[in-house]
Amino acid sequence: MIIRNGKTTHLIGKSVSYIMHESETGELLHFYFGRRIADRDYSLMTGEWHETLGSGANEFSLEPYPQEYPAYGYTDMRSPAYQIVNRYGNTISRMRVKEYIVHKNSAVQTEGMPCLFKGENNADTLEVVMYDDAIDMEIRLYYIVFEEYDIIARHAVILNRSTDAAKLYSAYSANLELPMGGYDMIYFTGAWAREMNMQRTRIEPGMRYEAENARGISGHHMNPFVMIASRDATEASGEVYGLSLIYSGNHSTVAKTDQLGQLRVQQGINPMQFAWTMMPGESFTTPQSVLCFSSDGFGGISREYHKLYRNNLMRSRWTHRERPILINNWEGTYFDFNEEKLLKIAKRAKEAGIELFVLDDGWFGRRDGDNSSLGDWVPDERKLPNGIKGLAEKINALGMKFGLWFEPEMVSPDSDLYRAHPDWAIHVPQRRGVTARWQYLLDLSRDEVCEYVIEAVSDVLRTANVEYVKWDMNRGMSDMPYPGYAHEYVLGYYRIMDAITSAFPEVLFEGCCSGGGRFDPGVLAYMPQIWASDNSDAVARMKIQYSTSMCYPVSAISTHVTASPNHQNGRITTLKTRADTAYAGTFGYELDITHATDEEMDEIRKQIALRKQIDRLVHEGELHRLASPFEGEYCTWELVSQDKKHAFVFTCKILSVASSRAPRIKLMGLDPDKRYIDKLSGRVYEGDLLMRRGLRVSYAQEDFATEILELEQV
Ligand code: DGJ
């Protein structure tokens, strides 16, 4: 709901208020974002502003004011939300409110980029038109508020209304001003095979804190999701703000306290290596930043994003559907396979109850290693004499679905595509192009290159019964031709994703980027699941999945059971530990199942049956994280159905400790007045005891001992 009350505008969500106020001089000031407060005439409180505006030594100063979209250099010297080099060559700008437009029952879209949609929910959009007549530039600020969520989604459109070219140096999507107080910043760093390490740092006065990445993709190194929390915030309590950017390229979230102790936070495209020329009449649209507030700690924030992204971001028909249990051949065979070997794996997988066979890298061109053929999406007849079509038919004849890997944004120097179009690879003409993993990125800023990618992938999908696609991407960007190029690339990527996913709506798409190098809401808009990491070791995955779930729905996290010793870190774990960890995700196997013993095959059959039983919990359950692997020896999470009748609990004692007793686990979200039976052990528990006294688990006396419970109300 949006209430306009004189100079005050109040956006009301499920239990949040977001209030802005226009000063008498036309500045758009920020008043409040937090737990819902009543709608009043807040213009009565404008005295607060007058105390500083125009008083004291300066005739006019914006420096002390919380603002909605601040500029730099015209009395406010703090970090700006945008910078425009105007026709006079300076960056001075003063935007003032011209008009408010309320789009009732509508979620205004960001052009050319994925963003939230209204769906079945009740959403309104506020559009504030701001203008600076000294330079003839306009900024339109958009705020979407949903009746059902505690979120405010923001983006901006900057328009050049002048008769000369103007240049953008930066354009954040959202600017958030928080009152004086102690805050921590929580952000997610990493590397290949070590994604999503949850970090927490105290925001000290004067220092600039930036969670950013400038590698052309959202990146392994920093996720475009940040939380700003009160110092006492925990998983289950305390005030927390979430900022999640629906974007798959260079991003930045900046927090800095000003001289008065107020905190300014901005999120959007990374200004580093960004510049955008706007000719007269042209505009620039920022991606959407989704702000969330919770007074129930990190868990409260996660549950909001999970619901929102499942219902109002992810467009795939598969979003709410049960996903087929898959087997992927990558860690089973790598590049060393032929049709016969694949069919043997598929046959055995079928016997275990697996539903989808996925052929990973190496099926096209002459790709016997990672150094050739990307771009040549034609089956390698040496390995697959019957092509993809013939293989898919044989897999289908076994009663399984067939899925295929692509890495469409790339070209190998050793490929027919590169030989025909060397200029299609991103490069600067003065230098030799730089390969990574022996490959170049295709120049997706060019229409003909995007068309090629769309056609090459579509051609395979049209000619064979491919029901699942793994869309991989295995290098970051370098030698960019000009500043701002990375954004052009992202727009090309979205154009391709939009075309292909709309043309093949029944195909289940999975995103991947050397593991979790592009795990972001922009990708999720098109592909309802993403491979979280190339590190498939269960213990490493506990941390990765734990932090990934801070923002992203469990049903979007792709999880596989792989071989032991693990291929990435050599750790030895039981089949049980590996599957228990993978249940809270899409679930599948990635190993050579022809080596499985009969006992292991039995165990796999039972695992699949259990995963199917809890499928609705993975899709719709509320997630509670109960013990953090970043803080101690235990990792515990719980999924509870909306009606509190069904729950799944996973817990692991990571390293075994002699002479110790495990702490009790206090479950959350159950009905304290009801009894629950654990369907796996047959034990019956009282809800209030499970939640208040806690559950004592006897872990096996060994490292990485996991236990699971499937609770059902009796
Ligand atoms: C990186 C992916 O993350 C892996 O799962 C696998 O598909 C390889 N690429 C194949 O090259």
Side-chain angles (χ1 to χ4, degrees):
M1 194 190 344
I2 297 172
I3 303 178
R4 296 258 318 104
N5 205 338
K7 299 249 173 200
T8 300
T9 310
H10 190 168
L11 279 56
I12 303 176
K14 184 182 55 177
S15 49
V16 291
S17 286
Y18 188 106
I19 303 174
M20 62 191 83
H21 174 74
E22 187 190 322
S23 77
E24 276 165 20
T25 49
E27 257 78 33
L28 191 60
L29 305 172
H30 180 73
F31 185 76
Y32 176 75
F33 179 34
R35 208 171 169 154
R36 187 164 168 173
I37 51 178
D39 187 58
R40 298 188 186 91
D41 184 0
Y42 289 107
S43 58
L44 297 176
M45 293 183 68
T46 52
E48 248 184 46
W49 312 115
H50 288 289
E51 275 167 30
T52 40
L53 183 68
S55 70
N58 298 322
E59 180 196 333
F60 154 80
S61 174
L62 283 168
E63 176 87 17
Y65 289 91
Q67 295 158 64
E68 284 299 321
Y69 205 64
Y72 165 82
Y74 200 60
T75 72
D76 187 344
M77 308 311 283
R78 296 172 293 171
S79 171
Y82 67 98
Q83 275 198 297
I84 308 168
V85 188
N86 58 44
R87 61 173 128 161
Y88 308 107
N90 64 66
T91 57
I92 303 307
S93 151
R94 186 179 182 190
M95 290 284 161
R96 270 164 310 166
V97 176
K98 208 166 113 186
E99 191 185 355
Y100 297 90
I101 305 166
V102 175
H103 302 266
K104 274 198 118 6
N105 213 16
S106 144
V108 170
Q109 302 289 287
T110 54
E111 206 191 314
M113 278 172 285
C115 59
L116 300 180
F117 55 82
K118 197 181 87 57
E120 307 284 288
N121 295 90
N122 297 307
D124 299 316
T125 305
L126 171 72
E127 178 180 351
V128 188
V129 184
M130 322 259 293
Y131 203 79
D132 182 343
D133 45 20
I135 54 172
D136 280 324
M137 298 292 302
E138 183 175 300
I139 297 186
R140 292 174 178 251
L141 299 178
Y142 294 86
Y143 301 78
I144 303 174
V145 59
F146 284 86
E147 232 170 84
E148 297 86 355
Y149 304 113
D150 291 334
I151 69 111
I152 303 289
R154 289 190 58 174
H155 77 274
V157 176
I158 300 170
L159 296 99
N160 181 4
R161 299 272 188 218
S162 79
T163 48
D164 297 289
K167 198 173 204 165
L168 273 178
Y169 272 2
S170 67
Y172 277 100
S173 304
N175 180 83
L176 182 62
E177 311 260 18
L178 298 177
M180 284 178 274
Y183 297 99
D184 287 349
M185 183 169 178
I186 290 99
Y187 55 101
F188 301 85
T189 63
W192 171 76
R194 202 163 36 74
E195 295 87 342
M196 297 298 281
N197 292 280
M198 187 168 171
Q199 315 280 2
R200 182 170 188 159
T201 190
R202 220 178 132 92
I203 296 180
E204 299 286 3
M207 294 293 292
R208 179 182 160 91
Y209 297 83
E210 185 175 15
E212 63 88 41
N213 188 37
R215 289 170 166 82
I217 43 177
S218 48
H220 297 88
H221 316 82
M222 188 70 83
N223 197 269
F225 172 61
V226 165
M227 289 185 279
I228 303 290
S230 56
R231 294 244 161 91
D232 60 353
T234 66
E235 178 58 35
S237 68
E239 296 202 337
V240 185
Y241 294 89
L243 296 99
S244 167
L245 189 67
I246 306 182
Y247 192 60
S248 308
N250 296 345
H251 58 89
S252 153
T253 308
V254 169
K256 192 176 173 192
T257 325
D258 66 16
Q259 48 189 331
L260 299 175
Q262 311 175 106
L263 183 68
R264 177 172 279 182
V265 191
Q266 288 147 342
Q267 182 174 65
I269 292 179
N270 196 338
M272 176 147 101
Q273 189 62 19
F274 176 80
W276 202 268
T277 302
M278 289 184 295
M279 299 311 285
E282 283 184 355
S283 65
F284 180 81
T285 303
T286 73
Q288 196 172 55
S289 165
V290 183
L291 312 179
C292 181
F293 171 80
S294 169
S295 33
D296 295 326
F298 311 134
I301 291 278
S302 304
R303 288 184 288 278
E304 282 301 295
Y305 280 116
H306 293 180
K307 265 183 257 164
L308 177 76
Y309 284 173
R310 285 189 310 232
N311 297 325
N312 305 85
L313 172 72
M314 296 157 71
R315 314 165 177 182
S316 165
R317 289 188 188 167
W318 279 94
T319 303
H320 302 279
R321 280 190 202 163
E322 179 174 338
R323 317 280 165 79
I325 308 284
L326 66 76
I327 186 155
N328 177 306
N329 74 310
W330 178 242
E331 285 197 20
T333 68
Y334 295 104
F335 292 102
D336 181 19
F337 61 82
N338 56 27
E339 188 184 89
E340 195 190 337
K341 192 166 177 182
L342 297 177
L343 287 171
K344 270 195 196 143
I345 294 175
K347 200 162 167 282
R348 189 86 168 139
K350 171 70 187 166
E351 284 163 20
I354 293 174
E355 299 157 313
L356 161 69
F357 176 85
V358 178
L359 174 55
D360 210 279
D361 195 354
W363 57 267
F364 50 91
R366 291 182 85 77
R367 189 156 161 98
D368 295 326
D370 56 10
N371 57 359
S372 85
S373 304
L374 291 169
D376 300 345
W377 301 107
V378 180
D380 180 349
E381 288 187 358
R382 295 169 310 154
K383 297 180 189 173
L384 305 173
N386 302 300
I388 288 297
K389 184 170 187 290
L391 177 64
E393 279 166 3
K394 290 184 184 174
I395 299 283
N396 291 161
L398 293 172
M400 297 175 88
K401 292 178 190 292
F402 176 75
L404 195 59
W405 178 98
F406 288 90
E407 195 180 354
E409 297 158 71
M410 299 293 159
V411 61
S412 307
D414 181 8
S415 66
D416 292 342
L417 181 65
Y418 187 77
R419 282 181 281 273
H421 300 283
D423 60 312
W424 281 14
I426 296 179
H427 69 290
V428 291
Q430 305 75 21
R431 296 174 198 279
R432 195 169 57 83
V434 182
T435 55
R437 207 200 191 202
W438 312 103
Q439 62 204 51
Y440 296 120
L441 267 166
L442 284 171
D443 182 355
L444 301 192
S445 72
R446 290 170 63 169
D447 286 349
E448 70 270 36
V449 180
C450 293
E451 284 312 321
Y452 172 81
V453 171
I454 294 168
E455 219 13 66
V457 176
S458 303
D459 196 42
V460 179
L461 301 189
R462 274 192 299 260
T463 47
N465 188 24
V466 178
E467 295 181 77
Y468 158 109
V469 165
K470 178 173 170 187
W471 187 291
D472 203 350
M473 201 282 186
N474 286 304
R475 64 159 292 181
M477 196 178 282
S478 83
D479 34 329
M480 295 72 86
Y482 47 85
Y485 175 81
H487 181 62
E488 299 244 27
Y489 180 91
V490 175
L491 294 179
Y493 165 67
Y494 288 148
R495 202 185 123 201
I496 292 170
M497 290 319 304
D498 196 39
I500 295 185
T501 55
S502 320
F504 300 95
E506 274 305 319
V507 172
L508 167 58
F509 284 84
E510 173 163 329
C512 175
C513 180
S514 301
R518 199 161 55 180
F519 206 123
D520 63 60
V523 171
L524 280 185
Y526 302 103
M527 306 195 257
Q529 56 190 64
I530 304 177
W531 182 227
S533 177
D534 272 350
N535 191 337
S536 60
D537 163 56
V539 182
R541 271 303 185 107
M542 283 174 209
K543 282 190 176 162
I544 293 168
Q545 290 169 214
Y546 187 94
S547 322
T548 304
S549 78
M550 285 286 159
C551 179
Y552 306 105
V554 171
S555 59
I557 304 176
S558 172
T559 55
H560 294 176
V561 174
T562 57
S564 177
N566 178 266
H567 291 196
Q568 293 78 38
N569 63 12
R571 184 172 284 130
I572 296 175
T573 52
T574 62
L575 187 52
K576 172 176 165 54
T577 292
R578 283 173 273 152
D580 285 355
T581 309
Y583 288 134
T586 57
F587 201 74
Y589 294 81
E590 186 172 329
L591 37 72
D592 187 347
I593 199 170
T594 60
H595 296 150
T597 62
D598 288 347
E599 293 75 50
E600 285 169 337
M601 287 290 281
D602 275 347
E603 201 174 335
I604 292 174
R605 271 183 214 108
K606 288 190 191 125
Q607 291 171 349
I608 291 171
L610 174 77
R611 177 58 184 72
K612 286 188 163 292
Q613 259 164 237
I614 63 161
D615 188 69
R616 282 303 94 199
L617 287 173
V618 171
H619 277 275
E620 286 146 22
E622 302 230 312
L623 178 73
H624 298 272
R625 289 171 297 253
L626 306 177
S628 166
F630 291 95
E631 285 166 11
E633 278 312 325
Y634 296 88
C635 176
T636 309
W637 55 63
E638 179 197 6
L639 285 160
V640 188
S641 62
Q642 307 284 336
D643 62 7
K644 301 175 190 290
K645 289 192 169 146
H646 193 195
F648 171 75
V649 181
F650 159 83
T651 183
C652 177
K653 181 175 180 184
I654 300 169
L655 287 184
S656 179
V657 182
S659 193
S660 70
R661 205 154 181 223
R664 284 196 290 256
I665 301 168
K666 289 188 186 167
L667 299 189
M668 293 177 74
L670 301 178
D671 185 336
D673 301 324
K674 295 277 159 51
R675 302 170 83 207
Y676 290 85
I677 181 164
D678 171 20
K679 288 170 75 181
L680 306 176
S681 67
R683 275 192 215 116
V684 176
Y685 301 94
E686 308 295 335
D688 59 350
L689 282 185
L690 284 175
M691 293 172 70
R692 295 173 191 159
R693 184 168 186 275
L695 171 80
R696 172 93 64 200
V697 175
S698 345
Y699 298 90
Q701 191 65 350
E702 61 189 32
D703 288 344
F704 327 124
T706 54
E707 286 302 328
I708 52 169
L709 285 87
E710 191 200 343
L711 298 172
E712 207 163 71
Q713 227 178 62
V714 283

